[in-house]
Amino acid sequence: MDTLQVLTYLVWLVASVTFIIALKFLASPKTARTGNLLGAAGMALVVAWTFFTSPGMLENWWIVIVGGAVGSVAGFLGAKRVAMTAMPQMVAIFNGAGGGAAAVVAIAEYLEFADHGDGLLPLPFVIATLLGAVIGSVALTGSVVAFGKLQGIVTSRPYMLPGQQMITGAMFLALFVIGVYIVGFENSIPLFLVFCVIALAAGVVLTMPIGGADMPVVVSLLNSYTGIAVAASGFVLGNYALLIAGTLVGASGAILTQLMTKAMNRSLFNVLFAGFGTGGGAVAAGAEGEEQLREINAEDVAVLMAYGKRVIIVPGYGMAVAQAQGPVRELMDLLIAKGVDVQFAIHPVAGRMPGHMNVLLAEANVPYDRLKEMDEINDDFADTDVALVIGANDVVNPSAREEGSPISGMPILNVDAAQNIVVLKRGRGTGFAGIPNPLFSNEKTAMLFGDAKPSIEALVAGVKQA
Amino acid sequence: MELSAFELLSALFILVLAAVVGYEVVSKVPTMLHTPLMSGANAVHGVIVVGAMLVAASAEGPVRIVLALLGVILGTINVVGGFVVTDRMLEMFKRRPGDQPGER
């Protein structure tokens, strides 16, 4: 082993350590930003080292420069321009890019192997290459579908193909058979390409039946998949930086996915295969409930809050869409000035991603200590004058407590225990999961229809006058 | 192409230990950091760009050059976009309570 190789291994070691510390630091609010920068520094180091020390770069440097420039501009502009409400989609698309890169690297590796052509390839290499190709491809197309669902380009409803299970089963069987054939019998570039195409289609077919409300879990899972695909590449290329970083993300992504499904009181299996929200019976109940909705105007809500002792605000995706976090903070300040105790109840899956509401409210400078997690605040609702629900739906749906609803068993915020419930809602439709919500027809509930931002602004004006 | 038992075992050790570390590191995370953490982890697997660079370094012929170029572009989007968007999310946690909200 020459000096350059030794140094290369040491660079990988340093980079791996920065990645580990980055993830560790990201787990605490105080250190999170430093952690992210540290991870970026480690990445810059290993990228620069690879560029300046790889022998073939003398000739092919332009590929990296051109590709790197295009990718940097696209990634940077995408990340900088995206509205904070669209963050989940952005994470999905970046993950898809990573999965695609892993698949492309696996394809290039396979072509390289197949060219050497003297009989069968070393078993571990071929298996790892196939794994990288299949997992990377699924992560790519799965992420694109998740992006489409979150962005509203693709229906957020679960979409089942006719004979969904047959098709899924046939795809897995085909992947397995082709995989075994390539590993055990013959190298074949055409077959390998067919293998990749089936894997790409599988990513679509597996993601389409999952409802939009479950996309955060799917994005997290696909993130973990990309990690595994990267680890497989690292193994094939003999590059420990890739092996370690990929495995780290694969493992931590799996745990994160688990934490998210736990917060929804569902199993991963249930999320992936339940065809969430397709129950026909529940829809009929919704039509009945709609007629009983009680409407209220902003002035009345303002008075109700201004003269109450305690108000709990329950933000949801509606607040994010309307970009209403700024006015919400203003409302909070005014109420506090009037001596009202204002708290925020944050459901673990409110919005499109865990932590989504925290990010938005932090952006509007709502102090952390006013943001309460579900378990912390659920008992306080009974003692609350007004629960103000801003564009949240499924996370406050009491039918989760009963059997037979698609969200049965999901822990919810006990909004219905409050003295008065005011729901800000854009329209009369059902929530993202497509499930009717009996909270809206509760006799204590009043509805304030309209886009959240003007509605909150009207409340702010009302509280000022009250 | 040869692969020694030692190399295979080393890779296995690294794989298992890295998985344990990954598991441990994110086991206790407050909910509000789930999204930034996912996004940060997303940026970390962008290290696949190094794999794409290695493909580029040995690329010959149009097919492989196109593959390498595609790999580098996608990998770079993953890395750059991932770190930048994570930083943007975390930037919001930084401002202290009581600051004036910025102009929008």
Side-chain angles (χ1 to χ4, degrees):
Chain A
M1 194 181 267
D2 59 28
T3 319
L4 190 65
Q5 257 180 311
V6 173
L7 287 174
T8 301
Y9 275 83
L10 291 178
V11 166
W12 293 346
L13 181 64
V14 172
S16 303
V17 172
T18 64
F19 297 154
I20 293 169
I21 296 176
L23 291 184
K24 180 79 196 160
F25 276 18
L26 275 166
S28 155
K30 273 187 200 150
T31 52
R33 206 165 174 208
T34 317
N36 187 52
L37 294 176
L38 196 63
M43 189 70 72
L45 171 71
V46 69
V47 165
W49 183 265
T50 308
F51 183 70
F52 289 113
T53 63
S54 300
M57 274 317 164
L58 285 175
E59 204 174 321
N60 284 348
W61 58 271
W62 65 271
I63 300 179
V64 176
I65 295 297
V66 172
V70 172
S72 297
V73 170
F76 186 82
L77 289 184
K80 277 287 181 193
R81 291 213 175 147
V82 63
M84 272 297 136
T85 39
M87 245 164 18
Q89 292 91 302
M90 219 57 212
V91 175
I93 214 71
F94 292 149
N95 180 53
V104 166
V105 169
I107 292 170
E109 282 159 1
Y110 189 80
L111 294 182
E112 185 79 27
F113 288 157
D115 264 10
H116 287 290
D118 40 356
L120 291 178
L121 304 163
L123 206 61
F125 277 153
V126 187
I127 294 176
T129 305
L130 289 175
L131 270 180
V134 71
I135 300 173
S137 303
V138 168
L140 167 62
T141 50
S143 298
V144 170
V145 173
F147 168 82
K149 286 201 173 215
L150 287 163
Q151 187 73 25
I153 302 169
V154 180
T155 174
S156 72
R157 292 297 183 104
Y159 178 83
M160 296 281 220
L161 289 168
Q164 170 86 24
Q165 281 160 331
M166 287 274 290
I167 294 172
T168 314
M171 280 178 159
F172 276 109
L173 188 67
L175 287 174
F176 183 76
V177 170
I178 297 176
V180 168
Y181 184 80
I182 292 177
V183 170
F185 297 94
E186 192 191 357
N187 289 316
S188 158
I189 292 175
L191 265 183
F192 178 76
L193 294 177
V194 171
F195 182 83
C196 292
V197 170
I198 297 175
L200 288 169
V204 177
V205 171
L206 287 172
T207 316
M208 283 307 287
I210 303 171
D214 285 335
M215 277 306 125
V217 179
V218 173
V219 174
S220 176
L221 185 70
L222 292 171
N223 192 33
S224 169
Y225 282 2
T226 306
I228 297 168
V230 171
S233 269
F235 174 74
V236 177
L237 294 166
N239 186 313
Y240 288 173
L242 264 69
L243 181 59
I244 293 173
T247 311
L248 265 181
V249 178
S252 61
I255 300 304
L256 201 53
T257 312
Q258 195 68 38
L259 290 175
M260 287 183 191
T261 50
K262 207 187 267 177
M264 300 159 88
N265 201 18
R266 298 177 48 213
S267 69
L268 188 56
F269 183 85
N270 181 264
V271 169
L272 295 181
F273 300 110
F276 193 36
T278 46
V283 176
E288 194 182 314
E290 259 177 38
E291 297 156 53
Q292 302 160 3
L293 300 184
R294 178 162 67 94
E295 282 195 55
I296 192 168
N297 63 37
E299 288 73 26
D300 291 348
V301 180
V303 170
L304 212 53
M305 290 193 298
Y307 292 95
K309 282 203 188 67
R310 172 186 274 172
V311 169
I312 296 181
I313 299 177
V314 181
Y317 190 63
M319 182 186 82
V321 173
Q323 288 287 330
Q325 61 272 27
V328 166
R329 180 212 147 103
E330 204 181 341
L331 180 66
M332 175 195 80
D333 288 342
L334 284 169
L335 289 172
I336 292 172
K338 287 193 182 282
V340 184
D341 175 20
V342 184
Q343 308 282 355
F344 288 80
I346 312 291
H347 189 279
V349 295
R352 287 292 186 273
M353 293 229 150
H356 198 180
M357 294 300 120
N358 304 71
V359 171
L360 290 175
L361 291 169
E363 182 191 30
N365 288 311
V366 173
Y368 305 140
D369 55 9
R370 297 210 175 257
L371 309 184
K372 305 291 183 196
E373 294 198 6
M374 181 171 61
D375 296 335
E376 211 179 333
I377 203 166
N378 246 351
D379 294 336
D380 296 348
F381 277 105
D383 203 18
T384 295
D385 299 290
V386 183
L388 185 70
V389 179
I390 308 175
N393 191 339
D394 300 324
V395 298
V396 295
N397 190 337
S399 54
R401 295 199 196 108
E402 286 151 29
E403 293 295 312
S405 164
I407 58 168
S408 291
M410 180 168 102
I412 55 161
L413 290 162
N414 295 332
V415 170
D416 52 351
Q419 308 299 316
N420 295 285
I421 304 148
V422 177
V423 178
L424 272 63
K425 203 167 173 309
R426 201 146 38 149
R428 290 167 182 274
T430 52
F432 199 45
I435 305 158
N437 191 340
L439 177 73
F440 301 161
S441 48
N442 186 314
E443 54 184 12
K444 289 190 290 183
T445 304
M447 307 294 291
L448 181 57
F449 287 113
D451 187 68
K453 195 170 186 182
S455 292
I456 299 281
E457 282 163 353
L459 291 182
V460 167
V463 171
K464 274 182 188 159
Q465 286 169 11
Chain B
M1 201 176 308
E2 283 297 312
L3 186 71
S4 73
F6 177 73
E7 282 172 299
L8 202 58
L9 282 172
S10 303
L12 183 69
F13 266 71
I14 290 173
L15 186 82
V16 172
L17 293 180
V20 172
V21 171
Y23 177 88
E24 273 304 312
V25 157
V26 298
S27 301
K28 305 171 280 287
V29 185
T31 316
M32 69 170 181
L33 283 175
H34 279 181
T35 301
L37 180 63
M38 185 204 299
S39 181
N42 178 35
V44 166
H45 69 47
V47 73
I48 187 65
V49 71
V50 168
M53 286 167 72
L54 295 174
V55 170
S58 63
E60 280 169 30
V63 174
R64 264 173 251 177
I65 287 178
V66 167
L67 282 176
L69 190 61
L70 189 62
V72 173
I73 292 175
L74 290 173
T76 312
I77 289 176
N78 188 181
V79 170
V80 174
F83 282 117
V84 173
V85 86
T86 310
D87 191 62
R88 262 191 78 195
M89 288 179 203
L90 293 169
E91 197 176 23
M92 294 176 178
F93 288 102
K94 209 188 61 177
R95 276 176 277 167
R96 304 302 339 156
D99 289 0
Q100 289 305 306
E103 293 296 317
R104 291 181 59 85

